[in-house]
Amino acid sequence: MNTLTRNSVRTRGQTGALVCAEAHPNIALIKYWGKRDLARNLPAVGSVSITLDTLVTTTRLSLQEAKDQDGFELNGRRATDSELEKLKLLADYFRRLSGSDQTVAVTSENNFPTAAGLASSASGYAALVTALDKAYGTRLSRERLSALARMGSGSAARSLFGGFAQMHVGQSADGEDAIATPLLGKEEWPLEVVVAIASESAKSVSSTVGMEATRNTSPFYQQWLETQNDDIERAIAAIKDRDFTALGTVAEYSCLKMHGLMLSAQPGLVYWNHATIACIHEVRAMRTEGVDVFFTIDAGPQLKAVCAPGTGDLVAARLSAVDGVSRVLRAGLGHGARSVDVAHKNTPG
Ligand code: PMV
């Protein structure tokens, strides 16, 4: 019997109960790449994202005696030392705030490939802070939870919100204002997303390592920082106007600019494989045929095709047929991280 199961059957009153939270990954339409403070995990640029619906991280957490160590299991494996360190950092914050000395046993599961450029860290940390808030009874605002999720992973700050969200670069040294805020609800512009899986394996260079390498070695890093706000403003205007073409134009530009920046690091960071490039051409071919679709790609080989409402079926069929694509995942826009009723979730064995 694992730690969580053992604790889940122990009744300790409200704070000792098993809590469950779920969060969805988000994908950036205007990309975040680069940190202004590595230790505090503060972004060097703002970003704009959409939160997905069908891909989900489910996190179960129970409080345990202070003498027990914080425990963390991810997709059935023990967390790495650095993942455990981040859990402890976050749990310590909630312990200080609530005056509790109880530790936590956490299990977290994704229904999609972990660490392959599908933002599993985003949904993971968004679900984790939501579960911690519920377990310790701290009732923090979404904005505050967003700042805490950011300590785990920069993109996680955005998964606190559904639909369209904006991440703010912030000014303060402690990162209090480096938070995400909502831009537009998921129902207000129900875009569809098709993810073309070009590799199932974990990415070779983590985003943190890649960002620091880029900051230290790319001759274009300063221009990247200086041009980001324009892209954010264009994207926000396009979202407000529901202008698909304008949004697609600036999103592909931001994506290719980020990958151009990565390529200009020394040594260059190449996250794509042959299927990624074939998918880019396929998306552009569809667009010349009049299909409303654009692409974006993160720190991994998967291409995410963003489709106007009603065009997902066609785009999924076309991308499934691209050489090197093993399968496609479908999503609409989803809600922000939230705690869910444990009774409606299966208890892990
Ligand atoms: O926050 P991280 O470490 O998952 O970095 C995210 C980096 C990109 O996915 C490439 C871009 C983004 O804004 O999500």
Side-chain angles (χ1 to χ4, degrees):
M1 194 186 272
N2 69 27
T3 331
L4 182 65
T5 314
R6 201 170 57 238
N7 281 289
S8 68
V9 295
R10 188 166 61 202
T11 309
R12 298 184 43 122
Q14 207 185 343
T15 51
L18 178 71
V19 301
C20 183
E22 60 179 33
H24 300 287
N26 68 78
I27 53 177
L29 302 182
I30 302 301
K31 299 300 190 188
Y32 147 53
W33 195 253
K35 296 180 196 287
R36 69 180 159 93
D37 182 330
L38 181 62
R40 290 195 168 85
N41 203 29
L42 301 180
V45 290
S47 51
V48 172
S49 62
I50 48 177
T51 299
L52 307 182
D53 61 359
T54 53
L55 313 181
V56 63
T57 297
T58 304
T59 296
R60 295 176 178 82
L61 183 154
S62 61
L63 296 179
Q64 49 184 16
E65 302 293 344
K67 63 178 170 42
D68 295 329
Q69 304 266 331
D70 289 319
F72 201 2
E73 219 181 72
L74 285 145
N75 286 324
R77 63 154 174 92
R78 282 168 68 102
T80 61
D81 287 350
S82 108
E83 287 162 344
L84 259 176
E85 243 171 62
K86 284 184 181 174
L87 167 66
K88 197 169 154 8
L89 182 76
L90 290 167
D92 280 345
Y93 176 90
F94 283 93
R95 282 190 276 264
R96 272 198 305 277
L97 201 63
S98 64
S100 165
D101 61 358
Q102 287 172 295
T103 57
V104 290
V106 182
T107 63
S108 191
E109 279 159 23
N110 299 326
N111 70 346
F112 57 96
T114 301
L118 279 175
S120 55
S121 60
S123 48
Y125 284 105
L128 178 62
V129 296
T130 304
L132 285 164
D133 182 53
K134 175 85 175 168
Y136 286 102
T138 37
R139 297 168 159 266
L140 298 180
S141 68
R142 267 181 195 272
E143 281 74 10
R144 189 69 214 116
L145 290 176
S146 168
L148 291 167
R150 192 215 63 237
M151 289 161 67
S153 150
S155 55
R158 303 182 306 232
S159 275
L160 265 300
F161 299 97
F164 297 76
Q166 177 182 5
M167 178 71 198
H168 302 269
V169 61
Q171 304 291 325
S172 76
D174 63 6
E176 284 299 298
D177 52 358
I179 57 166
T181 51
L183 280 175
L184 190 73
K186 63 190 175 71
E187 294 86 9
E188 294 178 77
W189 199 16
L191 301 182
E192 297 179 45
V193 175
V194 177
V195 182
I197 302 292
S199 166
E200 302 272 354
S201 38
K203 61 191 167 199
S204 50
V205 181
S206 77
S207 44
T208 297
V209 171
M211 285 183 200
E212 283 301 281
T214 309
R215 182 173 69 81
N216 289 323
T217 64
S218 168
F220 305 132
Y221 188 70
Q222 197 54 36
Q223 285 95 324
W224 165 255
L225 301 183
E226 284 166 11
T227 55
Q228 183 77 349
N229 284 348
D230 276 1
D231 299 349
I232 291 175
E233 279 169 27
R234 280 169 66 190
I236 291 174
I239 291 166
K240 291 213 163 106
D241 295 346
R242 320 285 198 275
D243 184 338
F244 190 86
T245 303
L247 184 60
T249 303
V250 71
E252 280 192 9
Y253 170 64
S254 175
C255 166
L256 292 176
K257 191 165 59 164
M258 178 185 75
H259 284 275
L261 180 74
M262 293 163 161
L263 289 170
S264 72
Q266 298 174 67
L269 293 160
V270 186
Y271 285 108
W272 299 355
N273 66 19
H274 72 284
T276 319
I277 295 172
C279 286
I280 291 175
H281 290 300
E282 190 63 12
V283 167
R284 291 194 159 171
M286 284 188 265
R287 211 160 47 232
T288 44
E289 294 162 25
V291 181
D292 275 336
V293 58
F294 65 84
F295 66 80
T296 189
I297 307 156
D298 293 300
Q302 336 298 3
L303 176 138
K304 291 103 181 191
V306 182
C307 318
T311 52
D313 286 347
L314 171 73
V315 171
R318 291 280 291 265
L319 290 179
S320 298
V322 170
D323 184 36
V325 172
S326 55
R327 60 189 174 118
V328 297
L329 307 176
R330 302 282 302 271
L333 300 194
H335 54 72
R338 58 184 182 181
S339 66
V340 290
D341 189 353
V342 183
H344 292 123
K345 290 275 168 190
N346 295 328
T347 307

